[in-house]
Amino acid sequence: MMNWLEDIPEHFVRTYDRPFDVADFCRIMRASGLSLDKSTAADYLITNPLLFGLTDGTFVTKASVFNGYTFSFKPTREELQAGAFFAGHRCVPFTDFEKLPIDFTFVYRGHKLKKKVCQFKSDVVLDHFALFGEEYALQYIATDPACTNLDLTDIDFVVPNMLQITCFSISELLSDGLKYGDSIILRIMDWDEGIIALDIRPNEKKSPFEAESDEKTLWYKTLEDGLLSSFDRLGPGCSIEEQLSNVFFEKRDILDSIECGSVEEFLARSEKVSFEYFGVETRLWRAGETVPAVGDWNYSENDVFSKNDFLILPPFVFDCFILDEIFARNGDFESLPKMIYPRDFSFQNFELKAVLKELKTRAAKLKKEYNSFADYDNISLRHRTIVLFQEISSLMYKIDTAVSNLKAMPQQEMVILTQLYAHIMSIMQVLAVPGELSEDYDMLEASIEGMEYNFDDIIDILNDAVARQHNNSYAII
């Protein structure tokens, strides 16, 4: 029963088709058997990546925005020769970002396209996964059942010249006249289920020198202007998908059009927007510019650092330290807070008592399900992870408490630090569950090793920058 109740909000944000506010959400949840207070409901809605927030305090789901949305792409020569296309990033940002490209259902004139495995040059495939982020492209490709031979954890791994990938047959479209230069026009029929209808849009140009339609020109200009504006207002966001989805939402009156271009073609023709490095990731940004860590979207000179930003930690962080120090190393509770929190962090008595109480409560719960034999293989990886967490969080705390001008800090190194913190937290969430891992051990170990390497690259640079600002704050009398 509890699992069913917990699924109700998830189902709601994946399917609800009208604007709503916090009160509406609470009312609908109560009617479904789940009682939520307004504060909890507001937190859930504001942070939910499947929703867009409107200026009047209401929300709309991505499902309601993108159901019926029209977009397009042009098949490559290689795909036409193979008689099939692979989805790759072609459906970004119109579809559910939690679904893999092979999980979509494409329908042509009432018939579901059949899947087939084809082989293409690796650079062709990689180019069409770039909107997931260059750093994640291979990981997405490796989830394809046709690519099970790719071992990304192998230290000697090299991308092969050719890649096999699951594709969708376009034999019917070819029989109906689809040719090179034509577009496949797509329409989201069911966002939640990932059902997409497609059709052929013949190439409007009789020759390469012929001007495109005014509608197509407006489409590309609107997308470019929308992205450039969003960089100033919203920054780099959490992903390229988020950057694009915001623009396609805000400008849908023009971009949701049968005369649409494609994101791929836009990036090939735009001189103002391109893929740029953002720490260890990539984002869309102004061509040739470095994506900064700090901008108008996340910085205010009036911002006051709150110690609560570091005091309040997710329960899984506590669990990782309990499993490592208490169960694996026979440590004691009194020493745990100093290990969990940054080196320069100081507790008030009531804070320390609250933390110790939470640790003991969680330890009692973990003890009931802990099996040292089942957890044996994870102990060394978990310890390595929390040691890196200690280093990262201590450096972040030092910057937040000692630096007065974040814009003067090395921006790319700041970006990498925040990305490392987010990644280490996601790994700790996996390792906080004792026993058999739900994810590949070798992949996690490779991730930790890469993060250690990246942290070693930035720690001295950031420490030096903190020291310079600290020294400059003193005046000679």
Side-chain angles (χ1 to χ4, degrees), residues 135-136 139 238 278-281 283 316 385 388-389 392 415-430 444 447-448 450-451 454:
E135 64 282 5
Y136 299 118
Q139 294 181 37
C238 295
F278 180 58
V280 295
E281 301 178 356
R283 293 288 189 276
F316 62 78
T385 302
L388 182 57
F389 168 80
I392 292 172
V415 169
I416 293 172
L417 181 64
T418 56
Q419 290 171 346
L420 289 175
Y421 185 79
H423 292 164
I424 200 75
M425 292 290 271
S426 65
I427 292 177
M428 289 179 77
Q429 190 166 11
V430 173
L444 286 175
S447 294
I448 289 296
M451 292 167 68
N454 287 326

Side-chain angles (χ1 to χ4, degrees), residues 163-216:
L163 285 170
Q164 286 193 317
I165 191 164
T166 302
C167 299
F168 297 87
S169 172
I170 52 173
S171 57
E172 289 186 63
L173 285 79
L174 291 169
S175 297
D176 287 346
L178 177 67
K179 61 186 182 302
Y180 182 70
D182 292 346
S183 295
I184 291 181
I185 192 91
L186 304 100
R187 185 179 176 87
I188 304 295
M189 304 306 294
D190 189 322
W191 185 92
D192 183 40
E193 295 294 330
I195 300 173
I196 306 163
L198 49 80
D199 209 335
I200 303 168
R201 187 181 64 197
N203 187 2
E204 63 181 11
K205 292 186 179 182
K206 299 295 188 291
S207 76
F209 306 102
E210 186 178 338
E212 65 189 6
S213 67
D214 292 341
E215 292 87 350
K216 186 73 67 65

Side-chain angles (χ1 to χ4, degrees), residues 9 52 66 72 150 347 443:
F52 293 111
F66 289 123
S72 73
L150 295 181
F347 293 94
M443 189 71 78

Side-chain angles (χ1 to χ4, degrees), residues 22 38-49 51-53 57 59:
V22 174
K38 285 193 174 182
S39 176
T40 301
D43 288 344
Y44 176 77
L45 298 175
I46 290 169
T47 59
N48 198 299
L51 301 176
F52 293 111
F59 302 86

Side-chain angles (χ1 to χ4, degrees), residues 328-354:
R329 304 177 197 285
N330 299 314
D332 63 273
F333 286 104
E334 303 301 322
S335 64
L336 271 182
K338 285 292 185 183
M339 299 176 67
I340 295 172
Y341 288 88
R343 282 186 286 271
D344 298 332
F345 193 90
S346 60
F347 293 94
Q348 295 186 42
N349 284 336
F350 76 91
E351 293 171 338
L352 183 57
K353 288 179 181 178

Side-chain angles (χ1 to χ4, degrees), residues 131 220 227 262-271 273-275 284:
L131 293 180
Y220 282 115
L227 280 168
S262 72
V263 176
E264 288 178 336
E265 292 172 88
F266 164 74
L267 291 170
R269 64 191 276 168
S270 177
E271 296 179 355
V273 177
S274 66
F275 293 106
L284 298 180

